[in-house]
Short mmCIF file of all heavy atoms in Angstrom, two decimals:
data_model
loop_
_atom_site.label_atom_id
_atom_site.label_comp_id
_atom_site.label_asym_id
_atom_site.label_seq_id
_atom_site.Cartn_x
_atom_site.Cartn_y
_atom_site.Cartn_z
N VAL A 1 0.97 -1.18 0.04
CA VAL A 1 -0.10 -0.07 0.06
C VAL A 1 0.88 1.24 0.00
O VAL A 1 1.95 1.16 0.63
CB VAL A 1 -0.99 -0.01 1.19
CG1 VAL A 1 -0.16 0.08 2.49
CG2 VAL A 1 -2.04 1.09 1.13
N GLU A 2 0.49 2.34 -0.71
CA GLU A 2 1.23 3.54 -0.59
C GLU A 2 0.37 4.65 -0.02
O GLU A 2 -0.77 4.49 0.19
CB GLU A 2 1.73 3.91 -1.99
CG GLU A 2 2.73 2.98 -2.73
CD GLU A 2 4.07 3.12 -1.94
OE1 GLU A 2 4.33 4.05 -1.04
OE2 GLU A 2 5.05 2.28 -2.22
N THR A 3 0.99 5.86 0.14
CA THR A 3 0.27 6.93 0.78
C THR A 3 -0.69 7.52 -0.24
O THR A 3 -0.68 7.28 -1.41
CB THR A 3 1.21 8.09 1.24
OG1 THR A 3 1.90 8.60 0.02
CG2 THR A 3 2.26 7.57 2.11
N ALA A 4 -1.66 8.37 0.30
CA ALA A 4 -2.61 8.92 -0.55
C ALA A 4 -1.94 9.91 -1.65
O ALA A 4 -2.28 10.03 -2.77
CB ALA A 4 -3.60 9.83 0.21
N GLY A 5 -0.89 10.67 -1.14
CA GLY A 5 -0.17 11.41 -1.98
C GLY A 5 0.59 10.74 -3.21
O GLY A 5 0.54 11.29 -4.24
N TRP A 6 1.12 9.67 -2.81
CA TRP A 6 1.72 8.81 -3.91
C TRP A 6 0.65 8.35 -4.95
O TRP A 6 0.85 8.47 -6.19
CB TRP A 6 2.37 7.58 -3.23
CG TRP A 6 3.04 6.66 -4.19
CD1 TRP A 6 2.39 5.74 -5.00
CD2 TRP A 6 4.51 6.56 -4.54
NE1 TRP A 6 3.49 5.09 -5.77
CE2 TRP A 6 4.60 5.51 -5.44
CE3 TRP A 6 5.64 7.21 -3.85
CZ2 TRP A 6 5.97 5.21 -5.86
CZ3 TRP A 6 6.89 6.78 -4.35
CH2 TRP A 6 7.00 5.84 -5.36
N CYS A 7 -0.46 7.89 -4.45
CA CYS A 7 -1.55 7.52 -5.46
C CYS A 7 -2.10 8.72 -6.21
O CYS A 7 -2.31 8.55 -7.48
CB CYS A 7 -2.69 6.82 -4.57
SG CYS A 7 -2.20 5.31 -3.83
N TRP A 8 -2.19 9.83 -5.59
CA TRP A 8 -2.59 11.00 -6.30
C TRP A 8 -1.70 11.36 -7.43
O TRP A 8 -1.98 11.65 -8.57
CB TRP A 8 -2.73 12.26 -5.30
CG TRP A 8 -2.93 13.57 -6.06
CD1 TRP A 8 -4.31 14.05 -6.34
CD2 TRP A 8 -1.94 14.49 -6.34
NE1 TRP A 8 -4.04 15.30 -7.00
CE2 TRP A 8 -2.73 15.69 -6.91
CE3 TRP A 8 -0.68 14.60 -6.20
CZ2 TRP A 8 -2.00 16.71 -7.41
CZ3 TRP A 8 0.10 15.69 -6.74
CH2 TRP A 8 -0.57 16.75 -7.30
N ALA A 9 -0.36 11.31 -7.08
CA ALA A 9 0.69 11.69 -8.24
C ALA A 9 0.58 10.56 -9.39
O ALA A 9 0.73 10.96 -10.52
CB ALA A 9 2.14 11.76 -7.59
N GLU A 10 0.44 9.43 -8.97
CA GLU A 10 0.35 8.26 -9.89
C GLU A 10 -0.92 8.32 -10.77
O GLU A 10 -0.77 8.15 -12.02
CB GLU A 10 0.30 6.88 -9.36
CG GLU A 10 0.48 5.75 -10.17
CD GLU A 10 0.69 4.45 -9.42
OE1 GLU A 10 1.85 4.07 -9.13
OE2 GLU A 10 -0.37 3.84 -9.02
N GLY A 11 -2.07 8.86 -10.16
CA GLY A 11 -3.27 9.07 -10.82
C GLY A 11 -3.04 10.25 -11.89
O GLY A 11 -3.51 10.06 -13.09
N GLN A 12 -2.46 11.33 -11.46
CA GLN A 12 -2.12 12.32 -12.46
C GLN A 12 -1.45 11.89 -13.68
O GLN A 12 -1.74 12.20 -14.82
CB GLN A 12 -1.36 13.41 -11.71
CG GLN A 12 -2.04 14.52 -11.05
CD GLN A 12 -1.13 15.74 -10.73
OE1 GLN A 12 0.04 15.59 -10.48
NE2 GLN A 12 -1.71 16.91 -10.80
N LYS A 13 -0.31 11.06 -13.38
CA LYS A 13 0.40 10.48 -14.49
C LYS A 13 -0.40 9.62 -15.40
O LYS A 13 -0.25 9.74 -16.68
CB LYS A 13 1.59 9.73 -13.85
CG LYS A 13 2.63 9.28 -14.93
CD LYS A 13 3.71 8.42 -14.22
CE LYS A 13 4.59 9.38 -13.28
NZ LYS A 13 5.67 8.71 -12.68
N MET A 14 -1.26 8.88 -14.82
CA MET A 14 -2.10 8.03 -15.71
C MET A 14 -3.01 8.75 -16.50
O MET A 14 -3.33 8.42 -17.63
CB MET A 14 -2.75 6.94 -14.81
CG MET A 14 -1.92 5.75 -14.40
SD MET A 14 -1.26 4.80 -15.79
CE MET A 14 0.33 5.57 -15.88
N GLY A 15 -3.61 9.93 -15.93
CA GLY A 15 -4.43 10.73 -16.65
C GLY A 15 -3.89 11.30 -17.91
O GLY A 15 -4.46 11.27 -19.09
N ARG A 16 -2.50 11.76 -17.73
CA ARG A 16 -1.86 12.20 -18.82
C ARG A 16 -1.55 11.21 -19.89
O ARG A 16 -1.51 11.48 -21.06
CB ARG A 16 -0.58 12.96 -18.38
CG ARG A 16 -0.78 14.24 -17.54
CD ARG A 16 0.42 14.57 -16.78
NE ARG A 16 0.15 15.69 -15.80
CZ ARG A 16 0.96 15.93 -14.85
NH1 ARG A 16 1.97 15.22 -14.53
NH2 ARG A 16 0.58 16.94 -13.98
N THR A 17 -1.25 10.11 -19.42
CA THR A 17 -0.84 8.91 -20.31
C THR A 17 -2.13 8.53 -21.11
O THR A 17 -2.01 8.29 -22.35
CB THR A 17 -0.42 7.75 -19.51
OG1 THR A 17 0.76 8.16 -18.68
CG2 THR A 17 -0.06 6.66 -20.25
N ILE A 18 -3.23 8.37 -20.48
CA ILE A 18 -4.57 8.01 -21.16
C ILE A 18 -4.89 9.05 -22.21
O ILE A 18 -5.34 8.83 -23.41
CB ILE A 18 -5.67 7.85 -20.18
CG1 ILE A 18 -5.47 6.60 -19.37
CG2 ILE A 18 -7.05 7.71 -20.86
CD1 ILE A 18 -6.30 6.45 -18.15
N LEU A 19 -4.71 10.37 -21.80
CA LEU A 19 -5.05 11.48 -22.80
C LEU A 19 -4.14 11.50 -24.03
O LEU A 19 -4.71 11.50 -25.13
CB LEU A 19 -4.76 12.81 -22.09
CG LEU A 19 -5.12 14.02 -22.94
CD1 LEU A 19 -6.59 14.04 -23.36
CD2 LEU A 19 -4.76 15.33 -22.14
N ALA A 20 -2.89 11.13 -23.83
CA ALA A 20 -1.98 10.97 -24.97
C ALA A 20 -2.39 9.81 -25.95
O ALA A 20 -2.38 9.90 -27.12
CB ALA A 20 -0.58 10.85 -24.54
N ASP A 21 -2.86 8.68 -25.30
CA ASP A 21 -3.26 7.56 -25.93
C ASP A 21 -4.58 7.87 -26.82
O ASP A 21 -4.80 7.31 -27.80
CB ASP A 21 -3.57 6.46 -24.90
CG ASP A 21 -4.03 5.09 -25.56
OD1 ASP A 21 -3.62 4.92 -26.83
OD2 ASP A 21 -4.53 4.26 -24.88
N LEU A 22 -5.39 8.73 -26.18
CA LEU A 22 -6.63 9.01 -26.86
C LEU A 22 -6.60 10.11 -27.97
O LEU A 22 -7.57 10.14 -28.71
CB LEU A 22 -7.64 9.53 -25.87
CG LEU A 22 -8.44 8.39 -24.98
CD1 LEU A 22 -9.19 9.13 -23.87
CD2 LEU A 22 -9.21 7.53 -25.94
N GLN A 23 -5.62 10.83 -28.05
CA GLN A 23 -5.55 12.07 -28.99
C GLN A 23 -5.90 11.68 -30.35
O GLN A 23 -6.74 12.37 -30.92
CB GLN A 23 -4.21 12.77 -28.83
CG GLN A 23 -4.13 13.55 -27.48
CD GLN A 23 -2.81 14.28 -27.42
OE1 GLN A 23 -1.89 13.97 -28.05
NE2 GLN A 23 -2.85 15.29 -26.59
N ASP A 24 -5.35 10.66 -30.96
CA ASP A 24 -5.59 10.30 -32.37
C ASP A 24 -7.09 9.97 -32.60
O ASP A 24 -7.67 10.37 -33.47
CB ASP A 24 -4.70 9.30 -32.88
CG ASP A 24 -3.28 9.74 -33.01
OD1 ASP A 24 -3.05 10.98 -33.08
OD2 ASP A 24 -2.33 8.77 -32.96
N GLU A 25 -7.56 9.11 -31.57
CA GLU A 25 -8.94 8.68 -31.69
C GLU A 25 -9.95 9.89 -31.59
O GLU A 25 -10.88 9.96 -32.36
CB GLU A 25 -9.25 7.71 -30.57
CG GLU A 25 -9.28 6.30 -31.00
CD GLU A 25 -9.61 5.39 -29.93
OE1 GLU A 25 -10.80 5.47 -29.45
OE2 GLU A 25 -8.73 4.49 -29.49
N MET A 26 -9.68 10.82 -30.79
CA MET A 26 -10.63 11.96 -30.52
C MET A 26 -10.42 12.96 -31.69
O MET A 26 -11.50 13.61 -31.93
CB MET A 26 -10.29 12.60 -29.22
CG MET A 26 -10.63 11.72 -27.99
SD MET A 26 -10.64 12.68 -26.37
CE MET A 26 -8.89 13.25 -26.36
N SER A 27 -9.34 12.91 -32.39
CA SER A 27 -9.30 13.80 -33.55
C SER A 27 -10.10 13.33 -34.84
O SER A 27 -10.40 14.04 -35.67
CB SER A 27 -7.86 13.99 -33.90
OG SER A 27 -7.26 12.90 -34.34
N SER A 28 -10.44 11.93 -34.80
CA SER A 28 -11.24 11.39 -35.89
C SER A 28 -12.26 10.48 -35.12
O SER A 28 -12.20 9.22 -35.20
CB SER A 28 -10.26 10.50 -36.70
OG SER A 28 -9.15 11.23 -37.21
N PRO A 29 -13.26 11.17 -34.56
CA PRO A 29 -14.27 10.34 -33.81
C PRO A 29 -15.15 9.39 -34.61
O PRO A 29 -15.60 8.42 -34.17
CB PRO A 29 -15.15 11.45 -33.27
CG PRO A 29 -14.89 12.62 -34.03
CD PRO A 29 -13.57 12.51 -34.62
N ASP A 30 -15.19 9.62 -35.93
CA ASP A 30 -16.03 8.74 -36.85
C ASP A 30 -15.30 7.44 -37.23
O ASP A 30 -15.81 6.58 -37.62
CB ASP A 30 -16.34 9.50 -38.06
CG ASP A 30 -17.24 10.70 -37.84
OD1 ASP A 30 -17.97 10.69 -36.78
OD2 ASP A 30 -17.26 11.66 -38.61
N GLN A 31 -13.95 7.50 -36.92
CA GLN A 31 -13.18 6.27 -37.34
C GLN A 31 -12.16 5.92 -36.15
O GLN A 31 -11.01 6.02 -36.33
CB GLN A 31 -12.33 6.51 -38.64
CG GLN A 31 -13.22 6.60 -39.81
CD GLN A 31 -12.34 6.95 -41.12
OE1 GLN A 31 -11.27 7.47 -40.99
NE2 GLN A 31 -12.92 6.52 -42.22
N PRO A 32 -12.80 5.54 -34.95
CA PRO A 32 -12.03 5.24 -33.86
C PRO A 32 -11.17 3.86 -34.09
O PRO A 32 -11.68 3.06 -34.76
CB PRO A 32 -12.87 5.00 -32.76
CG PRO A 32 -14.24 4.66 -33.35
CD PRO A 32 -14.21 5.37 -34.77
N ALA A 33 -9.86 4.01 -33.71
CA ALA A 33 -9.06 2.89 -33.88
C ALA A 33 -8.60 2.32 -32.67
O ALA A 33 -8.46 3.15 -31.64
CB ALA A 33 -7.75 3.29 -34.72
N PRO A 34 -8.54 1.07 -32.45
CA PRO A 34 -8.13 0.34 -31.22
C PRO A 34 -6.63 0.85 -30.91
O PRO A 34 -5.89 1.02 -31.78
CB PRO A 34 -8.37 -1.01 -31.42
CG PRO A 34 -8.22 -1.21 -32.81
CD PRO A 34 -8.79 0.01 -33.42
N PRO A 35 -6.29 0.90 -29.63
CA PRO A 35 -4.88 1.16 -29.38
C PRO A 35 -3.88 0.05 -29.87
O PRO A 35 -4.45 -1.16 -29.99
CB PRO A 35 -4.74 1.23 -27.81
CG PRO A 35 -5.98 0.31 -27.35
CD PRO A 35 -7.04 0.58 -28.40
N PRO A 36 -2.76 0.29 -30.34
CA PRO A 36 -1.94 -0.70 -30.77
C PRO A 36 -1.56 -1.67 -29.73
O PRO A 36 -1.46 -1.48 -28.55
CB PRO A 36 -0.62 0.09 -31.13
CG PRO A 36 -0.56 1.24 -30.37
CD PRO A 36 -2.07 1.57 -30.23
N SER A 37 -1.44 -3.03 -30.13
CA SER A 37 -1.03 -4.03 -29.14
C SER A 37 0.35 -3.78 -28.67
O SER A 37 1.20 -3.84 -29.50
CB SER A 37 -1.30 -5.47 -29.81
OG SER A 37 -2.59 -5.59 -30.22
N PRO A 38 0.58 -3.53 -27.37
CA PRO A 38 1.95 -3.28 -26.90
C PRO A 38 2.82 -4.49 -26.99
O PRO A 38 2.36 -5.67 -26.75
CB PRO A 38 1.66 -2.76 -25.59
CG PRO A 38 0.35 -3.40 -25.06
CD PRO A 38 -0.47 -3.47 -26.43
N THR A 39 4.00 -4.26 -27.35
CA THR A 39 5.02 -5.48 -27.27
C THR A 39 5.33 -5.61 -25.92
O THR A 39 5.97 -4.66 -25.18
CB THR A 39 6.23 -5.10 -28.13
OG1 THR A 39 5.88 -4.80 -29.46
CG2 THR A 39 7.13 -6.28 -28.10
N ARG A 40 5.06 -6.79 -25.21
CA ARG A 40 5.20 -6.99 -23.76
C ARG A 40 6.16 -8.27 -23.59
O ARG A 40 5.99 -9.20 -24.32
CB ARG A 40 3.84 -7.21 -23.13
CG ARG A 40 2.89 -6.26 -23.31
CD ARG A 40 1.48 -6.85 -22.86
NE ARG A 40 0.33 -5.98 -23.07
CZ ARG A 40 -0.09 -5.12 -22.24
NH1 ARG A 40 0.41 -5.04 -21.03
NH2 ARG A 40 -1.20 -4.45 -22.61
N GLN A 41 6.97 -8.12 -22.63
CA GLN A 41 7.60 -9.29 -22.08
C GLN A 41 7.54 -9.25 -20.58
O GLN A 41 7.72 -8.20 -19.92
CB GLN A 41 9.10 -9.35 -22.59
CG GLN A 41 9.26 -9.37 -24.08
CD GLN A 41 10.71 -9.68 -24.43
OE1 GLN A 41 11.29 -10.71 -24.21
NE2 GLN A 41 11.19 -8.77 -24.97
N PRO A 42 7.19 -10.46 -19.87
CA PRO A 42 7.15 -10.38 -18.49
C PRO A 42 8.56 -10.17 -17.87
O PRO A 42 9.62 -10.49 -18.43
CB PRO A 42 6.67 -11.79 -18.12
CG PRO A 42 6.99 -12.70 -19.36
CD PRO A 42 6.94 -11.71 -20.52
N ILE A 43 8.40 -9.38 -16.80
CA ILE A 43 9.70 -9.10 -16.00
C ILE A 43 10.00 -10.19 -14.91
O ILE A 43 8.96 -10.56 -14.23
CB ILE A 43 9.67 -7.76 -15.16
CG1 ILE A 43 9.44 -6.67 -16.29
CG2 ILE A 43 10.86 -7.57 -14.33
CD1 ILE A 43 9.16 -5.40 -15.62
N VAL A 44 10.96 -10.94 -15.05
CA VAL A 44 11.20 -12.13 -14.23
C VAL A 44 11.99 -11.84 -12.94
O VAL A 44 13.00 -10.98 -12.94
CB VAL A 44 12.13 -13.15 -14.96
CG1 VAL A 44 12.46 -14.38 -14.31
CG2 VAL A 44 11.30 -13.55 -16.24
N LEU A 45 11.43 -12.35 -11.84
CA LEU A 45 12.14 -12.13 -10.52
C LEU A 45 12.84 -13.36 -10.21
O LEU A 45 12.31 -14.56 -10.36
CB LEU A 45 11.13 -11.90 -9.42
CG LEU A 45 10.18 -10.66 -9.63
CD1 LEU A 45 9.28 -10.50 -8.45
CD2 LEU A 45 11.18 -9.36 -9.73
N ALA A 46 14.07 -13.31 -9.76
CA ALA A 46 14.99 -14.41 -9.23
C ALA A 46 15.50 -14.12 -7.92
O ALA A 46 16.34 -13.24 -7.75
CB ALA A 46 16.06 -14.52 -10.22
N GLY A 47 14.94 -14.85 -6.80
CA GLY A 47 15.23 -14.62 -5.53
C GLY A 47 14.01 -14.95 -4.68
O GLY A 47 12.92 -14.41 -4.82
N GLU A 48 14.26 -15.88 -3.75
CA GLU A 48 13.15 -16.40 -2.96
C GLU A 48 12.39 -15.26 -2.13
O GLU A 48 11.22 -15.35 -1.84
CB GLU A 48 13.52 -17.49 -1.91
CG GLU A 48 13.95 -18.84 -2.72
CD GLU A 48 14.40 -20.02 -1.74
OE1 GLU A 48 14.36 -19.70 -0.55
OE2 GLU A 48 14.68 -21.00 -2.20
#
């Protein structure tokens, strides 16, 4: 668990991130496109 202030700062960051993700879609509302499938690899933890 983190503090309320930490969560607030993280929420701000996610708001800006979502807005950047949406900009192309909102500029062409008649032809919304799904977000690109992100290239992901799991982060591996080694240590009991």
Side-chain angles (χ1 to χ4, degrees):
V1 63
E2 292 291 352
T3 64
W6 180 281
C7 294
W8 172 85
E10 191 171 271
Q12 271 198 325
K13 184 178 296 185
M14 283 301 99
R16 295 167 187 158
T17 301
I18 292 170
L19 181 61
D21 184 19
L22 279 175
Q23 283 178 338
D24 291 340
E25 258 182 64
M26 291 192 299
S27 63
S28 303
D30 296 331
Q31 294 180 335
S37 298
T39 302
R40 310 166 185 263
Q41 296 188 69
I43 299 172
V44 177
L45 298 182
E48 292 181 359

